[in-house]
């Protein structure tokens, strides 16, 4: 896990074809990052662009590379400037709260119990010791695997909580942030769902999905909350219509296994900050 954390930026850059955006290439975007970084009281991260059709953004980095914020080409083409500003505020929130480091350390514990459980189960199956010893190893293995699943669910829960914190940070540093971020998230979900249905290569975006502002795997489910309202509506009316949608039991169950909150609950939390 530690090695993955250290070299992850290089893997991400190669996988998503990420390149640094020079100040001369997009001075307006650099101004947004500089201004919001000062408001966040953090060192200005490197501004990067990922060559991806799916609209998204992510914060990442390690001691070897420093902090980085990346936006995709799809995001810049889909969202208005004010919505991009709110999305960048969200990503700076992740850097402010050190979420990359927090989630890395939290994910180590489930990995340890998985290794113990897997090893003990193999030991019980192939060991030449007596039956009682093998049975004891099997019990320890099963308990460890159970603990691994519980800790994995806790890790997913913590990931969702960190998304709410990052949303709150964006709302605190961006003028009219709750509205801008709500509209941006609604557009991201709709566009992602359309692209994933039309492009077979869109599945490649899921490898580091926990980094993204919106989970590509949830796009189809989240988009169901939007499609019935999306025809001919403006951004604000679209968000208001989604807020009236009821969160079903199925939505709550699916959220338990997701790195990101349900889109309806997320937009409602933003409206409470407005």
């Amino acid at each position: 896990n530690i090695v993955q954390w250290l070299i992850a930026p290089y893997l991400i850059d190669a996988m998503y074809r990420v390149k640094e955006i020079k100040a001369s290439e997009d001075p307006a975007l650099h101004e947004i990052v500089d201004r919001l970084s000062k408001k966040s009281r953090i060192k200005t991260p490197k501004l990067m662009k990922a060559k991806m059709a799916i609209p998204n953004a992510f914060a990442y980095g390690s001691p070897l590379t420093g902090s980085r914020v990346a936006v995709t080409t799809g995001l810049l083409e889909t969202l208005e400037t004010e919505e991009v500003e709110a999305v960048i505020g969200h990503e700076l929130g992740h850097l402010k709260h050190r979420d990359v480091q927090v989630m890395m350390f939290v994910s180590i514990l489930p990995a340890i119990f998985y290794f113990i459980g897997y090893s003990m189960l193999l030991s019980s199956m192939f060991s030449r010791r007596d039956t009682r010893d093998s049975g004891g190893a099997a019990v320890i293995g099963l308990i460890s695997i159970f603990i691994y699943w519980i800790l994995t669910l806790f890790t997913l829960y913590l990931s969702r909580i960190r998304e709410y914190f990052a949303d709150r940070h964006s709302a605190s540093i961006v003028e009219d942030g709750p509205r801008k971020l709500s509209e941006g998230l609604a557009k991201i979900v709709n566009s992602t769902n359309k692209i994933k249905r039309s492009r077979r290569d869109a599945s490649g975006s899921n490898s580091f999905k926990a980094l993204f502002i919106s989970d590509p795997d949830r796009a189809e489910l989240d988009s169901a909350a939007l499609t019935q309202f999306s025809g001919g509506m403006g951004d604000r009316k679209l968000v208001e219509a989604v807020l009236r949608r009821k969160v079903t039991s199925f939505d709550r169950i699916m959220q338990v296994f997701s790195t990101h909150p349900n889109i309806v609950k997320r937009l409602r939390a933003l409206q409470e900050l407005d």
Side-chain angles (χ1 to χ4, degrees), residues 19 23 30 52 84 87 105 110 148-149 163 203 216 219 235 249 252:
K19 300 293 183 183
H30 268 272
M52 292 174 57
V84 173
V87 167
F105 283 111
Y148 154 74
W149 280 109
E163 292 298 323
S203 59
D235 298 341
S249 298
R252 294 188 178 92

Side-chain angles (χ1 to χ4, degrees), residues 126-144:
F126 299 105
S127 176
R128 295 184 178 180
R129 295 174 297 180
D130 61 42
T131 304
R132 183 171 56 186
D133 289 342
S134 297
V139 170
I140 294 174
L142 290 173
I143 292 175
S144 297

Side-chain angles (χ1 to χ4, degrees), residues 8-38:
Y10 301 109
L11 299 177
I12 293 169
D13 288 350
M15 181 176 296
Y16 299 140
R17 294 178 287 176
V18 180
K19 300 293 183 183
E20 183 177 359
I21 303 176
K22 302 296 183 182
S24 57
E25 297 175 23
D26 197 333
L29 197 58
H30 268 272
E31 188 278 329
I32 290 174
V33 175
D34 291 340
R35 173 167 45 83
L36 295 184
S37 296
K38 289 178 182 178

Side-chain angles (χ1 to χ4, degrees), residues 215-271:
D215 181 358
D217 277 347
R218 284 193 57 90
E220 186 173 355
L221 286 173
D222 285 342
S223 187
L226 306 174
T227 51
Q228 58 180 310
F229 307 116
S230 59
M233 279 192 174
D235 298 341
R236 184 62 179 177
K237 288 187 176 180
L238 172 61
V239 172
E240 290 174 352
V242 174
L243 292 172
R244 293 195 294 269
R245 182 179 181 270
K246 182 180 179 181
V247 179
T248 66
S249 298
F250 177 76
D251 291 331
R252 294 188 178 92
I253 292 172
M254 293 305 298
Q255 181 182 245
V256 172
F257 303 99
S258 175
T259 56
H260 290 66
N262 172 275
I263 185 64
V264 179
K265 295 178 67 175
R266 194 170 177 182
L267 295 189
R268 287 176 181 171
L270 280 169
Q271 296 309 301

Side-chain angles (χ1 to χ4, degrees), residues 9-136:
Y10 301 109
L11 299 177
I12 293 169
D13 288 350
M15 181 176 296
Y16 299 140
R17 294 178 287 176
V18 180
K19 300 293 183 183
E20 183 177 359
I21 303 176
K22 302 296 183 182
S24 57
E25 297 175 23
D26 197 333
L29 197 58
H30 268 272
E31 188 278 329
I32 290 174
V33 175
D34 291 340
R35 173 167 45 83
L36 295 184
S37 296
K38 289 178 182 178
K39 284 189 174 183
S40 302
R41 297 182 180 179
I42 61 173
K43 183 179 178 180
T44 303
K46 278 187 178 181
L47 179 58
M48 318 292 286
K49 182 191 291 184
K51 195 174 181 181
M52 292 174 57
I54 288 180
N56 229 308
F58 48 96
Y60 63 115
S62 77
L64 300 180
T65 63
S67 299
R68 301 177 177 184
V69 167
V71 293
T72 67
T73 52
L75 185 87
L76 298 178
E77 293 169 358
T78 304
L79 270 58
E80 300 171 20
T81 301
E82 64 174 13
E83 296 160 352
V84 173
E85 178 187 18
V87 167
I88 289 175
H90 170 99
E91 298 306 330
L92 293 178
H94 283 307
L95 296 179
K96 172 79 172 179
H97 304 146
R98 300 184 180 276
D99 286 337
V100 175
Q101 295 91 323
V102 169
M103 295 310 299
M104 187 277 295
F105 283 111
V106 169
S107 65
I108 288 178
L109 199 55
I112 291 174
F113 276 97
Y114 177 82
F115 177 77
I116 293 173
Y118 186 73
S119 300
M120 296 302 286
L121 288 175
L122 283 180
S123 176
S124 68
M125 292 171 61
F126 299 105
S127 176
R128 295 184 178 180
R129 295 174 297 180
D130 61 42
T131 304
R132 183 171 56 186
D133 289 342
S134 297

